[in-house]
Amino acid sequence: MQHFPNVPKIQYEGPSSRNPFAFKHYNPDEIVAGKTMRDHMRFGAAYWHVMRNGLSDPFGGPTALMPWDDQSNSIENALKRADVFFEFLDKIDIDYYCFHDRDVAPELNNLAKSNDALEKVTDHLLALQKSHNKKLLWGTACLFSHPRYSQGAGTSPNAEVFAYAAAQVKAALDATYKLGGEGYTFWGGREGYSTLLNTDMKRELDHLAALLWLAVDYAKKIGFTGQFYIEPKPREPSTHQYDSDAAACLNFLRQYGLMDHLKLNLETNHATLAGHTMLHEITVALDAGALGSIDANQGDELIGWDTDQFPTDLYLTTSIMLKVLEMGGFTTGGLNFDAKRRRESHEPEDLFHAHIGGMDAFARGLKAAAAIRSDGRLAGFVEKRYASWNEGIGTKVESKSVTLEEITAHVLASPEPVIASGRQEMLENLVNEFI
Ligand code: XUL
Ligand code: CO
C-alpha cells in the first residue's frame, strides 16, 4: 500500500533541477571533506512531528491530513502508523529516526498496559528497521503530556509521580536498547517551575539528578552503551526550566558528577528562546567536550515561541556545520529534524517539501563550511588575533607561572598596548564569499 502516491523516491538531481521532489544539493554519496554527505549528516526524522503532529495551535485544532490514521488509541492504529513512517523514511532517504514512547505506542489506563503496548509496537519497529535498513538515533520518554506530570516529572513535588516517571524511563530505555538506539535523550518539558512561591528548587534539582543517575545505572545493568543526552530549553511550557541553556545544563551535570555520562542535544529554536544563537550554544557544548547531537530546526524572529520550523537559513546551517566539522563529525549523534510544517501546509506531500528543504540547506551549509575551512583565512585570522598569548607574558599567564606583582612589573616596563581591529565586517564578507 502506497501512502504517498504522488511522491516518488527523492533523489539528487543537482542545482539546475526544477523538480520540487528532488534534492538540489544533498547528494548522499558525494564526498565532502573526506566523508560522504550521508555520513556527515546522519539525518534523523522525528516520529512525533511526522506521524503525530496534527498541526494544531493554541487557537485552532489539527489540520494535517493523515488518511492512514483512524485517530483511535489502538495498537492496530499505532502499528499502521509505523508502516507509513517507514515508507516515508524510504522515500525521503533518511536513515535515522527518533521517538518518544507515547508517540509510537498509546498510553493506556495503567503502566502495565502501556508497557505492553510499547513492547508490541517496538517489536514491529524492530522488524521494520531490519526490512528497511533504518536505525534509531535516540529514544526518549514523554514525561510532559500526561496531567500527572503537570507539576514536573523528575522534579515533581510528589514522590509517586517521580516514581511513575522513573518507571516510564525504564521502559523507554528497554525499548531504545531493543531497537539498537545510538542514544537516549532527556528533555525536561515540565522540569522547571511556574512560581518559586511553591517550589523547593534545591530539592527538585537533587531529584532530577537522581533520575538521571538511576537511568545511567540501569543502562549499565542492561548493557545499553548508547549516549545519553540532555536537551536544553529555557521556557515553554514552564516559566523557567532548569535545563535553560547549554551552560546551565553543563553546570548541572558537573554539580552532580554526570559529565562522563551525558552530552547535550542542542536545538536551534531552544537556543534562540534562551537569547543565544545556535552557534553560541554549540560553541559552549563543544568547548566542554559535550556536543552530542542536534535537533535541527529554526524559529521565527517575529514569534516568541518554539515554532519548530524547518531549517532553511544557510547562515545557520553553515555555522552549525563549521562546528560539527571542527569537532571531527558526529559520533553517536546526528541532525534530527525536530521540526514541523506550518499549519497551512496540511497535505502529506508537504512533509517531503519540508524535509527536502532542510536536507538541502544542510548540504549547502556543509559545502560552505568545508570550503571555509580549506580556505583557511577565517581560522588564520582567529589564530593571529590571539598570537600574543603564544609568547612573553601571555605564555606565562596561560601556564600559570606568574604572579600579580610580576605582571605589574612587566606592565610598568612596557609601552601602552596597541590592539588590532576585530574586522567583524571583513569576516562577514569572507563568510559570504562561500554562501
Ligand atoms: C520540545 C522538544 C522535544 C525534545 C524531545 O521542544 O524539542 O521534542 O526534542 O523530547
Ligand atoms: Co527537540
Side-chain angles (χ1 to χ4, degrees):
M1 173 72 181
Q2 290 253 317
H3 295 93
F4 305 101
N6 305 327
V7 183
K9 184 172 163 77
I10 312 300
Q11 277 164 334
Y12 174 71
E13 291 185 3
S16 60
S17 167
R18 294 292 171 264
N19 176 3
F21 290 119
F23 297 121
K24 316 291 188 302
H25 301 277
Y26 178 60
N27 184 7
D29 300 321
E30 184 181 330
I31 307 277
V32 178
K35 256 195 333 205
T36 63
M37 288 187 142
R38 186 187 293 280
D39 289 345
H40 275 291
M41 308 302 200
R42 294 165 58 86
F43 284 128
Y47 201 95
W48 55 99
H49 284 310
V50 176
M51 298 317 297
R52 305 309 310 278
N53 198 329
L55 308 178
S56 56
D57 71 12
F59 303 95
T63 58
L65 301 177
M66 301 175 177
W68 51 82
D69 194 316
D70 67 15
Q71 301 301 323
S72 75
N73 215 20
S74 69
I75 293 175
E76 294 66 44
N77 195 25
L79 297 174
K80 178 131 189 245
R81 274 190 215 114
D83 293 337
V84 177
F85 183 64
F86 277 76
E87 185 188 328
F88 169 77
L89 292 179
D90 274 344
K91 283 196 165 174
I92 192 68
D93 200 3
I94 285 182
D95 298 324
Y96 289 91
Y97 72 108
C98 300
F99 70 83
H100 301 81
D101 50 359
R102 302 309 182 227
D103 311 328
V104 292
E107 170 139 21
L108 301 173
N109 53 14
N110 63 47
L111 185 66
K113 285 190 185 148
S114 301
N115 284 349
D116 190 49
L118 185 61
E119 192 73 51
K120 290 203 174 88
V121 176
T122 49
D123 284 346
H124 188 53
L125 287 172
L126 184 59
L128 286 166
Q129 281 181 210
K130 286 185 182 146
S131 57
H132 293 253
N133 193 23
K134 303 293 175 194
K135 289 175 273 188
L136 179 62
L137 191 64
W138 49 260
T140 185
C142 176
L143 303 179
F144 45 88
S145 291
H146 194 281
R148 86 172 69 82
Y149 298 128
S150 62
Q151 299 182 37
T155 62
S156 174
N158 183 317
E160 298 299 333
V161 171
F162 176 99
Y164 208 111
Q168 213 181 306
V169 167
K170 175 186 177 295
L173 266 171
D174 287 337
T176 302
Y177 176 59
K178 171 164 109 184
L179 296 173
E182 299 185 21
Y184 183 93
T185 292
F186 285 91
W187 172 60
R190 303 280 171 187
E191 316 296 20
Y193 60 78
S194 176
T195 171
L196 279 174
L197 291 175
N198 62 15
T199 302
D200 186 336
M201 185 151 80
K202 166 83 171 69
R203 229 168 157 183
E204 291 200 358
L205 285 166
D206 286 351
H207 299 159
L208 186 57
L211 180 63
L212 299 184
W213 269 114
L214 284 164
V216 166
D217 290 341
Y218 182 68
K220 223 173 276 168
K221 207 176 296 169
I222 61 174
F224 173 68
T225 54
Q227 176 65 51
F228 280 105
Y229 307 111
I230 192 165
E231 182 175 326
K233 183 173 179 178
R235 58 176 186 275
E236 196 201 51
S238 305
T239 304
H240 173 82
Q241 299 200 200
Y242 294 132
D243 304 330
S244 55
D245 66 1
C249 286
L250 290 170
N251 182 58
F252 171 81
L253 295 176
R254 287 192 186 102
Q255 182 176 348
Y256 290 98
L258 284 158
M259 278 296 281
D260 290 342
H261 303 290
L262 285 98
K263 288 185 173 174
L264 303 185
N265 178 37
L266 297 173
E267 178 166 327
T268 308
N269 207 164
H270 298 179
T272 49
L273 282 178
H276 302 307
T277 60
M278 182 62 163
L279 183 57
H280 170 91
E281 289 293 84
I282 291 186
T283 304
V284 169
L286 183 58
D287 290 350
L291 176 54
S293 198
I294 287 174
D295 270 7
N297 66 13
Q298 69 186 38
D300 185 321
E301 282 174 22
L302 305 179
I303 301 179
W305 73 77
D306 197 11
T307 55
D308 278 349
Q309 286 166 234
F310 276 82
T312 53
D313 179 336
L314 303 183
Y315 293 91
L316 170 71
T317 57
T318 301
S319 66
I320 291 174
M321 293 316 294
L322 267 173
K323 286 290 168 183
V324 170
L325 290 177
E326 184 184 321
M327 177 170 75
F330 291 115
T331 46
T332 55
L335 293 166
N336 168 48
F337 289 112
D338 192 353
K340 64 178 184 234
R341 298 163 283 160
R342 297 307 83 198
R343 189 163 182 267
E344 300 89 327
S345 309
H346 57 282
E347 295 176 358
E349 68 179 57
D350 290 307
L351 286 169
F352 289 87
H353 297 309
H355 286 82
I356 289 169
M359 293 163 82
D360 267 347
F362 268 97
R364 293 178 73 175
L366 170 65
K367 285 189 235 173
I372 290 168
R373 282 170 61 82
S374 62
D375 171 80
R377 277 176 291 157
L378 185 62
F381 181 88
V382 177
E383 178 69 33
K384 208 169 140 213
R385 189 164 184 236
Y386 291 85
S388 65
W389 290 92
N390 302 335
E391 59 192 24
I393 196 72
T395 307
K396 285 185 188 155
V397 172
E398 281 198 348
S399 63
K400 299 185 182 69
S401 58
V402 68
T403 64
L404 263 191
E405 299 93 304
E406 285 162 351
I407 291 176
T408 303
H410 167 80
V411 172
L412 288 171
S414 308
E416 177 68 23
V418 179
I419 58 167
S421 165
R423 296 264 190 269
Q424 178 171 334
E425 296 78 6
M426 184 194 82
L427 297 173
E428 287 166 348
N429 299 349
L430 189 159
V431 168
N432 272 359
E433 284 178 34
F434 297 88
I435 289 179

